[in-house]
Amino acid sequence: MKNSKKCSPPIESKLGEAGLQQAASSRLASFRRIAGFIGGAFAVLFMVWLPLGILGVVPFALQIPGESLLRTHAGAAVACLMVTAWAYWEA
């Protein structure tokens, strides 16, 4: 058995490939965490801005031609919440 011709590949090459995949996965996780935090912060900002804009305390800042200012800000809040949900979703 010791003199058999069948050999497995060296362990080092398997560990090297796994290490590269883990580093890439770690960078993607870090990017998603940062994107989630920023998206959540902007979502909170837009959700607080909506009632203040309706009451006239602060003016609406975003404007899309053909859409109401309220709908534009509500859409921005929803978009930020979707980015945050993507970032913290465990696939």
Side-chain angles (χ1 to χ4, degrees):
M1 284 300 249
K2 291 183 181 180
N3 293 332
S4 69
K5 297 289 182 185
K6 294 182 180 181
C7 296
S8 63
I11 295 174
E12 295 86 26
S13 66
K14 289 181 183 177
L15 292 177
E17 292 171 6
L20 290 176
Q21 289 176 348
Q22 186 178 14
S25 172
S26 152
R27 277 182 268 164
L28 179 61
S30 175
F31 170 74
R32 286 176 65 162
R33 190 176 315 116
I34 291 169
F37 180 76
I38 291 172
F42 275 116
V44 169
L45 175 73
F46 284 122
M47 286 187 291
V48 168
W49 201 309
L50 280 171
L52 294 177
I54 291 170
L55 296 173
V57 176
V58 294
F60 286 120
L62 301 176
Q63 182 177 3
I64 296 176
E67 294 292 334
S68 70
L69 296 174
L70 179 64
R71 185 174 180 158
T72 302
H73 277 263
V78 170
C80 290
L81 287 171
M82 289 176 65
V83 168
T84 304
W86 165 79
Y88 291 110
W89 176 52
E90 295 295 326

